[in-house]
């Protein structure tokens, strides 16, 4: 791929971001993400602060590469993995304050630790939130998963997860944890009934 | 702040103001109206008059003037009292060719044929119902109904914001280069933390300013300790009271949402546009989301509506003269 071409990982890996109203199996290779870990209710102060830090790093790394090496890529969508530290966590019954999560934005494989460190230094130098220090490059390997598009409020993900579980069960498989979400719409403005979210779960069995 | 209920009285005030402009246009159809201060005549801020006009009539000033001139020419052709060339000149066209082209575009047939056809209709179909008429053009017009329940509208008070910006001059769909320059500098230097807001300010009205001269500022908020950077300008995004609605989807259709805000909501709102420009806040980026998922907040600066004719307020007007002196005449 030439340096002039703008890389869009979301479009380049359509097979990994299938967003249909019916569940499908997908196979995920190890994928690098910029990630930040935290605890508490989504939409809460810590959560928003981490999103802010994550986007700050994502955009700064992207812009430095675009205007440094002349290689441009699209900043990917926000994703979240819930319940990694607490595998027994049940998103439905556990109070949101107890949730642990990892917020992530996928980055191209060529992004280096050095670029990450330089971006952090630039942001700190300009007085940005020190939370950027907690944003790391991490590789997530999920393997075989079931995923499906969830339409509507996050609180109603249960019904979509049920469909996914039924689909997996037909193959003699069960949904594993943690719970992975890919946010296709902006919850700040899009009304809850119109929110689009890809739900993804590893399968085991 | 909760938006006020729809007020017929303030809607009437808007109609009066626009009717004054329509009357002026019809009386001066032979003159070049481009240099006229129609905004002043309507007592609307110069930043917003054309959007109010377009919103309420569904047609811009220039388009309406051109259409009325064509209709007048069509009436003339039907009467058979003047030559096509003479009518073309009266309609403000420089030559017969451009007149014929515009005429054919509007009526489907060339002017030479129109005059000979049976019972030709000189009126061009428009939703506002304003037409040229031999007996004097009626100044009443149809405008969009008040927006329904589904129209999301918030009244917001926001402080002024310090911004860095790059000015783009030209067609609005080519403003990407200005954004690249702005984000290039800010992003590389580390100014783009997640706490930055992105705005676009459009100063000119596409109905009166040639497309290659349209000014647009690509803006990002910067903290007080940002001292500036070569190639970027520093400024302030004015604060105050705003009516805000969210446009969902493609930027190419953002004009429709502006039109609804100005034409359907504003006249019955009890407010009028304040004297600073509108702006847009981009909540996500076309680069990283599907076009249909784009969210843009449209900010219309507002102040309580002042009446042109304070002696005859309508019964349901609750005009408060202490907020702003009426611009009586």
């Amino acid at each position: 791929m030439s340096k002039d071409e703008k890389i869009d990982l979301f479009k380049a890996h359509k097979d990994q971001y299938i967003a249909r109203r019916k569940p499908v199996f997908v196979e995920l290779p190890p994928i690098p993400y910029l990630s930040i870990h935290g605890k508490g209710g989504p939409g809460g102060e810590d959560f928003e602060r981490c999103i802010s830090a994550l986007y700050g790093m994502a955009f700064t790394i992207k812009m430095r590469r675009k205007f440094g090496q002349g290689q441009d890529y699209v900043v990917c969508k926000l994703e979240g993995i819930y319940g990694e530290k607490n595998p027994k966590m049940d998103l439905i019954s556990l109070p949101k304050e107890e949730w642990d999560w990892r917020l992530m934005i996928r980055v191209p494989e060529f992004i280096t630790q050095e670029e990450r460190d330089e971006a952090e230094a630039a942001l700190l130098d300009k007085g940005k939130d020190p939370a950027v220090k907690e944003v790391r490059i991490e590789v997530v390997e999920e393997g075989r998963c079931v995923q499906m598009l969830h339409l509507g409020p996050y609180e109603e993900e249960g019904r979509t997860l049920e469909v996914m579980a039924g689909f997996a069960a037909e193959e003699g498989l069960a949904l594993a944890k943690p719970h992975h979400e890919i946010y296709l719409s902006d919850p700040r403005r899009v009304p809850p009934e119109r929110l689009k979210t890809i739900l993804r779960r590893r399968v085991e069995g | 702040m909760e938006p006020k209920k729809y007020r017929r009285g303030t809607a009437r005030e808007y109609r009066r103001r626009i009717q004054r402009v329509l009357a002026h246009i019809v009386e001066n159809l032979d003159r070049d109206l481009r240099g006229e201060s129609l905004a002043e005549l309507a007592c609307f801020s110069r930043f917003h008059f054309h959007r109010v006009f377009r919103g309420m009539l569904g047609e811009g000033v220039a388009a309406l003037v051109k259409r009325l001139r064509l209709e007048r020419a069509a009436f003339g052709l039907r009467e058979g009292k003047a030559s096509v060339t003479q009518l073309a000149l009266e309609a403000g066209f420089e030559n017969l060719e451009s007149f014929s082209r515009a005429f054919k575009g509007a009526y489907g047939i060339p002017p030479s044929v129109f005059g000979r056809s049976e019972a030709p209709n000189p009126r061009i179909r428009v939703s506002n119902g304003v037409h040229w008429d031999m007996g004097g053009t009626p100044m009443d017009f149809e405008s969009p109904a008040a927006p329904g329940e589904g129209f999301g509208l918030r009244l917001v008070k926001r402080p002024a914001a310090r911004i860095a910006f790059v000015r783009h001059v030209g067609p609005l769909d080519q403003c990407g280069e200005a954004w690249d320059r702005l984000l290039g500098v800010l992003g590389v230097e580390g100014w783009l933390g997640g706490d930055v807001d992105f705005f676009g300010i459009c100063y000119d009205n596409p109905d009166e300013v040639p497309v290659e001269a349209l000014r647009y500022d690509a803006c990002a908020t910067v903290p007080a300790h940002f001292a500036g950077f070569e190639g970027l300008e520093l400024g302030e995004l004015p604060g105050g009271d705003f009516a805000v609605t969210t446009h969902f989807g493609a930027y190419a259709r953002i004009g429709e949402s502006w039109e609804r805000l100005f034409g359907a909501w504003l006249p019955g709102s009890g407010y009028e546009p304040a004297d600073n420009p509108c702006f847009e806040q981009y909540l996500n980026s076309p680069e990283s989301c599907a076009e249909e998922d784009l969210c843009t907040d449209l900010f219309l600066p507002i102040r309580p509506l002042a009446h042109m004719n304070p002696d005859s307020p309508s019964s349901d007007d609750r005009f408060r003269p202490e907020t702003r002196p009426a611009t009586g005449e």
Side-chain angles (χ1 to χ4, degrees), chain B residues 45-252:
Chain B
S45 153
R46 70 200 157 92
F47 287 113
H48 311 286
F49 162 69
H50 283 84
R51 273 179 159 151
V52 175
F53 189 93
R54 174 180 277 283
M56 290 189 73
L57 286 141
E59 193 175 24
V61 173
L64 180 123
V65 167
K66 187 180 165 194
R67 182 173 59 77
L68 291 184
R69 283 175 178 165
L70 279 176
E71 289 188 356
R72 185 177 62 177
F75 272 106
L77 286 167
R78 200 174 67 173
E79 301 295 306
K81 285 184 185 155
S83 72
V84 176
T85 312
Q86 197 182 334
L87 290 168
L89 292 176
E90 274 178 24
F93 288 87
E94 281 177 7
N95 55 52
L96 195 55
E97 286 74 35
S98 56
F99 172 69
S100 295
R101 204 166 25 221
F103 194 94
K104 192 159 181 243
Y107 293 96
I109 48 174
S112 50
V113 178
F114 186 89
R116 296 197 302 268
S117 11
E118 288 215 6
N121 182 6
R123 294 184 163 188
I124 298 165
R125 234 180 123 90
V126 277
S127 60
N128 56 42
V130 176
H131 295 286
W132 173 260
D133 201 307
M134 303 300 274
T137 297
M139 290 318 137
D140 208 5
F141 58 89
E142 295 290 327
S143 52
E149 289 287 313
F151 184 71
L153 192 285
R154 314 187 294 288
L155 295 184
V156 170
K157 194 183 271 298
R158 55 167 292 141
R162 186 174 159 84
I163 48 169
F165 66 95
V166 172
R167 175 156 296 179
H168 163 78
V169 180
L172 293 180
D173 57 2
Q174 288 170 22
C175 66
E177 201 183 310
W179 280 108
D180 262 6
R181 271 170 54 206
L182 179 74
L183 300 181
V185 171
L186 296 180
V188 171
E189 294 295 310
W191 294 106
L192 290 190
D195 54 346
V196 176
D197 291 327
F198 302 104
F199 299 98
I201 311 176
C202 187
Y203 294 94
D204 302 307
N205 155 43
D207 290 332
E208 42 165 26
V209 174
V211 69
E212 62 277 9
L214 291 173
R215 293 167 301 164
Y216 170 92
D217 287 346
C219 319
T221 52
V222 285
H225 62 276
F226 177 83
F229 205 92
E230 204 193 324
L232 304 190
E233 295 187 65
L234 267 178
E236 188 178 76
L237 188 72
D241 291 318
F242 296 90
V244 184
T245 188
T246 305
H247 169 77
F248 295 101
Y251 294 149

Side-chain angles (χ1 to χ4, degrees), chain B residues 17-36:
Chain B
R17 294 186 184 195
I18 294 298
Q19 280 160 354
R20 277 163 61 100
V21 175
L22 285 175
H24 181 82
I25 287 174
V26 170
E27 278 161 27
N28 297 281
L29 208 50
D30 289 324
R31 294 205 351 239
D32 184 353
L33 291 161
R34 275 172 299 183
E36 305 259 327

Side-chain angles (χ1 to χ4, degrees), chain B residues 5-16 267-270 305 307 314-318:
Chain B
K5 288 219 170 63
Y6 189 83
R7 295 178 175 187
R8 260 168 309 197
T10 69
R12 272 200 289 278
E13 173 68 18
Y14 271 75
R15 294 187 79 79
R16 276 199 290 274
S269 68
L305 178 72
H307 288 249
S314 310
S315 58
D316 55 346
D317 282 349
R318 272 160 281 166

